[in-house]
Amino acid sequence: METLLEQIDRAHLPQHVAIIMDGNGRWAKERGEDRLFGHFHGVQSVRDIVEASAEIGIRYLTLYAFSTENWDRPQAEVAGLMELLVNTVRREVDQLKKNGIRLHVIGDFSMLPPSARQELSEALDLTAENDQLHLILALSYSGRWDLTQAFQQLAQKVQTGAVRADSIDADTISDHLSTRDFPDPELMIRTSGEHRISNFLLYQLAYAELYFTETLWPDFRRQHLFEALLDYQQRERRFGKTSEQLTT
Ligand code: IPE
Ligand code: IPE
Ligand code: MG
């Protein structure tokens, strides 16, 4: 029996995989535990997926860790998540550095506590020379925030004359999003059985293949990622064309 990993065609991997890591709270609840217990266990999934992505040859991995809307959760959960973030980044940064992984962060950092900002900026510096896997943490992120800040930048450039309004095209917009240095994701995975985007990469997901699984994030491991990659490789990406156009 061929393993899942062996069935994956390495020549046709998505360059960029984006994941909505959902279901930590329900995972904890099933065990009669506090929601933070679920977030805590979700870190192990992050570790495994980052490691497997680097090994298999994915170049960009974006993880939705905390949305703009998540600031409205109970204060104890928000504080617990921020503490978990700072501790995890501190603990993992050496390993990232060793494994050729470059960390990036996208989101509205003005909302983050100074300790988190400090820890993140050190981790960004420490891994800045790496190029094997770009790990992009979407933190205090939302798609509408991203588009809003892009339009603000553009409007200012139009006002000063640096950009002509009639020269703005889809690429101009991409170039002002927080993801300007990364290609659009070809595959977006959401765990926990929810079928929605929840204000993730709204513009960038325009042609992503969407993959939904019932698996809760703390149970998600590399085998689940491989299943998603195999599913992706069986799809026909038509980009508006007909199937016949693609084969000729
Ligand atoms: C995802 O798990 C993690 C974050 C949003 C920070 P949830 O905390 O949303 O877990 P559920 O969806 O309530 O189970
Ligand atoms: C989306 O999950 C955000 C993250 C995974 C970080 P949520 O659990 O916050 O999404 P909704 O509120 O159920 O749509
Ligand atoms: Mg959720």
Side-chain angles (χ1 to χ4, degrees):
M1 243 292 274
E2 240 184 339
T3 65
L4 277 176
L5 181 57
E6 286 162 354
Q7 292 173 54
I8 295 172
D9 176 358
R10 303 290 183 102
H12 294 103
L13 284 172
Q15 275 201 87
H16 186 170
V17 177
I19 308 183
I20 302 181
M21 311 184 288
D22 198 14
N24 297 351
R26 278 162 282 168
W27 189 91
K29 199 172 171 196
E30 280 174 5
R31 287 160 180 77
E33 299 279 354
D34 185 78
R35 296 177 57 83
L36 278 170
F37 184 74
H39 298 316
F40 185 76
H41 278 268
V43 175
Q44 192 51 44
S45 305
V46 172
R47 228 179 256 128
D48 195 51
I49 295 312
V50 170
E51 202 180 284
S53 299
E55 280 173 23
I56 197 171
I58 288 167
R59 297 298 315 282
Y60 301 86
L61 175 68
T62 297
L63 299 178
Y64 201 9
F66 194 87
S67 72
T68 309
E69 288 75 20
N70 289 149
W71 289 112
D72 296 333
R73 290 194 177 189
Q75 208 254 319
E77 182 173 350
V78 172
L81 273 165
M82 288 302 138
E83 197 184 316
L84 184 62
L85 169 83
V86 172
N87 291 340
T88 304
V89 170
R90 186 178 300 139
R91 195 162 2 88
E92 301 294 328
V93 66
D94 285 338
Q95 204 57 38
L96 295 180
K97 195 177 156 139
K98 255 186 234 137
N99 293 342
I101 300 166
R102 177 167 181 183
L103 186 70
H104 304 263
V105 194
I106 54 173
D108 180 3
F109 312 134
S110 69
M111 307 275 289
L112 290 174
S115 61
R117 255 182 285 174
Q118 179 63 27
E119 202 64 49
L120 285 167
S121 105
E122 283 169 26
L124 298 185
D125 289 345
L126 278 166
T127 62
E129 304 293 315
N130 286 346
D131 188 35
Q132 194 189 329
L133 170 69
H134 294 266
L135 171 61
I136 303 139
L137 273 190
L139 196 68
S140 187
Y141 181 87
S142 70
R144 286 182 176 180
W145 164 81
D146 204 355
L147 284 161
T148 304
Q149 68 76 30
F151 295 154
Q152 283 177 357
Q153 281 185 60
L154 270 170
Q156 259 155 23
K157 288 187 186 176
V158 169
Q159 211 164 29
T160 62
V163 168
R164 278 183 33 196
D166 60 5
S167 75
I168 294 173
D169 60 14
D171 287 336
T172 320
I173 295 172
S174 290
D175 290 344
H176 289 83
L177 292 168
S178 64
T179 49
R180 67 186 72 84
D181 296 330
F182 322 122
D184 287 343
E186 296 98 325
L187 172 63
M188 195 285 284
I189 300 172
R190 183 170 190 153
T191 60
S192 90
E194 307 296 355
H195 294 180
R196 54 177 173 262
I197 304 283
S198 298
N199 214 349
F200 195 25
L201 303 161
L202 297 177
Y203 194 79
Q204 300 88 332
L205 291 175
Y207 255 110
E209 295 297 328
L210 307 181
Y211 180 88
F212 299 99
T213 169
E214 294 292 320
T215 306
L216 303 175
W217 179 252
D219 290 327
F220 195 87
R221 288 294 181 278
R222 62 184 65 204
Q223 291 305 315
H224 301 98
L225 174 68
F226 298 158
E227 280 168 22
L229 292 172
L230 273 174
D231 191 280
Y232 166 82
Q233 292 190 332
Q234 274 139 33
R235 300 190 189 188
E236 184 177 65
R237 307 191 71 211
R238 287 191 290 277
F239 300 100
K241 296 187 176 158
T242 67
S243 192
E244 290 69 26
Q245 281 178 294
L246 298 174
T247 49
T248 55

